[in-house]
């Protein structure tokens, strides 16, 4: 048997080895993450429910999903252990800003450059500018009655009799 015929099999076995190795690494990371859970940690289950860990046992986790709601989950059903900031942001809508002492930045820059005097002048100078070109030669004549113009545009209605007979 030549090396050329064995090459596809060798590549296939190597690819399978690499795929199983990466899957085992991900499983090991998930097990470590679940083992690091402590009471008070925020978690997300694989079903998408957010809760706070109340008690951790060998194979189960007791979580507090709300006031008076305690649920018992298998440890394998915990999808992610969240940091305190991330849990508060998702569940309570609390944004933790490190620059909370800094001033509030406006959405647009116009308020940064205008002063009170220039804002008052700008409102007084705002006038409607007509950009349309109006020439007396190209304007339609308005002295024709509206009824006559309408009858010229509309075709006459008949009962189906044609005058070509």
């Amino acid at each position: 048997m030549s090396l050329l015929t064995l090459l596809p099999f060798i590549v296939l076995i190597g690819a399978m080895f690499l795929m199983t190795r990466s899957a085992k690494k991900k499983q090991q990371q998930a097990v470590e993450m679940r083992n690091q859970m402590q009471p008070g940690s925020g978690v997300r289950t694989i079903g998408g429910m957010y809760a706070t860990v109340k008690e951790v046992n060998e194979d189960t986790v007791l979580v507090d999903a709300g006031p008076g709601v305690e649920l018992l989950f298998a440890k394998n059903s915990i999808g992610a252990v969240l940091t305190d900031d991330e849990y508060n942001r998702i569940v309570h809508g609390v944004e933790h800003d490190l620059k909370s002492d800094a001033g509030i930045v406006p959405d647009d820059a116009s308020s940064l450059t205008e002063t009170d005097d220039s804002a008052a002048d700008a409102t007084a100078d705002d006038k409607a500018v007509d950009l349309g070109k109006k020439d007396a030669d190209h304007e339609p004549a308005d002295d024709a009655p509206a009824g006559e113009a309408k009858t010229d545009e509309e075709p006459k209605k008949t009962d189906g009799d044609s005058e070509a007979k």
Side-chain angles (χ1 to χ4, degrees):
M1 228 186 235
S2 71
L3 184 63
L4 190 59
T5 57
L6 291 177
L7 186 64
F9 293 112
I10 294 171
V11 170
L12 184 63
I13 292 171
M16 289 174 45
F17 173 73
L18 291 176
M19 286 191 294
T20 57
R21 184 174 173 226
S22 66
K24 284 183 182 180
K25 187 182 285 187
K26 285 181 183 179
Q27 285 178 347
Q28 185 63 28
Q29 287 176 348
V31 168
E32 288 176 15
M33 179 252 331
R34 291 182 185 120
N35 287 335
Q36 292 176 355
M37 277 189 300
Q38 298 174 357
S41 307
V43 294
R44 183 185 69 232
T45 65
I46 58 174
M49 185 179 72
Y50 293 93
T52 305
V53 175
K54 196 166 190 179
E55 183 180 313
V56 179
N57 298 321
E58 190 172 325
D59 293 332
T60 60
V61 178
L62 182 67
V63 296
D64 183 18
V69 180
E70 294 179 356
L71 304 169
L72 186 64
F73 281 96
K75 238 183 192 181
N76 294 339
S77 66
I78 303 300
V81 177
L82 308 172
T83 63
D84 290 338
D85 290 339
E86 187 177 12
Y87 181 77
N88 288 333
R89 180 183 58 82
I90 293 170
V91 175
H92 302 295
V94 176
E95 292 288 334
H96 180 68
D97 188 13
L98 297 175
K99 298 178 182 178
S100 61
D101 296 335
I104 297 174
V105 178
D107 290 338
D108 60 345
S110 63
S111 63
L112 296 174
T113 58
E114 278 186 0
T115 61
D116 292 337
D117 295 335
S118 63
D121 293 341
T123 56
D125 292 339
D126 288 342
K127 294 181 182 176
V129 177
D130 186 17
L131 299 176
K133 183 176 180 181
K134 290 185 179 181
D135 290 337
D137 298 336
H138 293 62
E139 288 184 11
D142 289 334
D143 29 295
E148 290 178 14
K150 188 173 186 180
T151 55
D152 290 342
E153 294 172 4
E154 291 182 7
K156 293 183 180 180
K157 294 182 182 178
T158 60
D159 293 333
D161 297 335
S162 73
E163 298 174 23
K165 290 182 185 177

